[in-house]
Amino acid sequence: MYIPKHNQLDDRAALLAYMRAYSFAALVTSGPGGLTATHLPFVIEDEDGRITLLAHMAKANPQWRDFAAGAEALVIFMQPHAYVSPRLYDSRQNVPTWNYVAVHAYGRPLLIEERAAKIELQQKLIRAHDAAYLAQMAELPASYLDARLAAIVSFSLVTTRIDARYKLSQDKTPAERERIARELETGGDSVAAETASLMRKHGV
C-alpha cells in the first residue's frame, strides 16, 4: 500500500484499537483459481509483541483450501471513510479527495482443527460482540454444536507485516482541517462523523 510519510502512524496501541473497532475485514488469498476475497469478522490478539488474527469461514467456501500452499495472505481493514469537498479549502484551486483509514495485515493462515480450540475461538468472537449470549451458548446440545463446528473452518494468522495509512487531511492547514472535521461531524452521515472522530483522535 502506498503510504506517504505524513499519513503514517507508528502508534501500536492506536493501531490495535482501530483493528478491534473495525474488525470486519476482507481476507485475500491467491490460489489455483486466482485471487479470492471473503469478508469476515476477526478477533485481534496481541501477545508477546505478536499480533494474531483469528477468524472462521464456511467450510463450503473453497477459499480455505488456498491455505495449504502456505502462501502469504492479506487482511484488509478499511473503515470508516468520507468524501472531502474542495469547498472546505482556503484556495479555490483544489480538487475533491477522500479521507480514510486502511490497515493491511499480512501473514500465513493456519487451520485450527481441534474442537476445543474452535469453540474457544467462537467464544472469543461472541465475547467481543454479544457476551450475554455465552450463557445461552453453554446450553446448546453437543450434537448441535458439533454440527455447526463441522460446517466452518477456523484459522489463525500471525501477522508478519502491517501497513497502515491514516489519510486524514494531515497535509492541510489547521484551519482547513478543523473546517473538514466540522463538516463531516455535522453532515448527518454517521460514517463521515466517525472519520471526523479519527481526525480529532489523532491530532488532526
Side-chain angles (χ1 to χ4, degrees), residues 35-101:
L35 291 174
T36 304
T38 300
H39 300 266
L40 303 169
F42 282 85
V43 172
I44 294 91
E45 295 189 329
D46 180 26
E47 188 174 351
D48 298 327
R50 183 176 66 181
I51 296 175
T52 302
L53 310 182
L54 303 164
H56 70 277
M57 67 175 66
K59 195 169 187 177
N61 182 344
Q63 185 181 13
W64 65 270
R65 300 185 187 281
D66 290 348
F67 301 173
E72 190 175 56
L74 166 64
V75 180
I76 301 174
F77 299 82
M78 205 277 166
Q79 295 182 64
H81 53 83
Y83 170 80
V84 177
S85 171
R87 295 182 292 99
L88 303 171
Y89 300 143
D90 294 335
S91 170
R92 294 185 62 84
Q93 291 187 11
N94 265 297
V95 293
T97 191
W98 216 270
N99 273 4
Y100 64 88
V101 173

Side-chain angles (χ1 to χ4, degrees), residues 1 18-19 21-27 39-40 42 75-83 98-105 163 165-168 191 194-195 198:
M1 176 166 54
Y18 167 81
M19 294 169 72
Y22 302 100
S23 57
F24 192 74
L27 171 71
H39 300 266
L40 303 169
F42 282 85
V75 180
I76 301 174
F77 299 82
M78 205 277 166
Q79 295 182 64
H81 53 83
Y83 170 80
W98 216 270
N99 273 4
Y100 64 88
V101 173
V103 172
H104 290 185
D163 295 334
R165 182 172 184 180
Y166 282 62
K167 185 180 179 298
L168 299 170
V191 177
E194 287 182 54
T195 308
L198 284 174

Side-chain angles (χ1 to χ4, degrees), residues 10-204:
D10 297 323
D11 186 331
R12 182 186 179 87
L15 177 64
L16 284 164
Y18 167 81
M19 294 169 72
R20 287 168 174 157
Y22 302 100
S23 57
F24 192 74
L27 171 71
V28 183
T29 59
S30 179
L35 291 174
T36 304
T38 300
H39 300 266
L40 303 169
F42 282 85
V43 172
I44 294 91
E45 295 189 329
D46 180 26
E47 188 174 351
D48 298 327
R50 183 176 66 181
I51 296 175
T52 302
L53 310 182
L54 303 164
H56 70 277
M57 67 175 66
K59 195 169 187 177
N61 182 344
Q63 185 181 13
W64 65 270
R65 300 185 187 281
D66 290 348
F67 301 173
E72 190 175 56
L74 166 64
V75 180
I76 301 174
F77 299 82
M78 205 277 166
Q79 295 182 64
H81 53 83
Y83 170 80
V84 177
S85 171
R87 295 182 292 99
L88 303 171
Y89 300 143
D90 294 335
S91 170
R92 294 185 62 84
Q93 291 187 11
N94 265 297
V95 293
T97 191
W98 216 270
N99 273 4
Y100 64 88
V101 173
V103 172
H104 290 185
Y106 299 85
R108 289 173 172 78
L110 296 175
L111 294 179
I112 298 173
E113 300 184 277
E114 292 184 359
R115 181 183 187 275
K118 292 178 74 172
I119 290 177
E120 183 182 9
L121 170 52
Q122 295 309 306
Q123 290 172 335
K124 288 177 179 178
L125 185 62
I126 292 166
R127 191 173 291 113
H129 299 283
D130 188 13
Y133 174 69
L134 286 172
Q136 182 178 336
M137 181 182 177
E139 298 173 356
L140 295 175
S143 58
Y144 177 88
L145 194 57
D146 286 343
R148 295 301 180 272
L149 290 175
I152 63 172
V153 172
S154 302
F155 65 94
S156 65
L157 184 151
V158 177
T159 59
T160 54
R161 182 171 96 253
I162 296 180
D163 295 334
R165 182 172 184 180
Y166 282 62
K167 185 180 179 298
L168 299 170
S169 298
Q170 294 97 323
D171 57 337
K172 303 305 176 185
T173 67
E176 289 172 324
R177 295 197 297 264
E178 176 60 30
R179 206 175 299 137
I180 292 165
R182 201 172 294 167
E183 173 88 359
L184 298 181
E185 288 168 338
T186 59
D189 183 332
S190 61
V191 177
E194 287 182 54
T195 308
S197 177
L198 284 174
M199 290 178 66
R200 296 197 184 282
K201 185 174 182 178
H202 297 291
V204 178

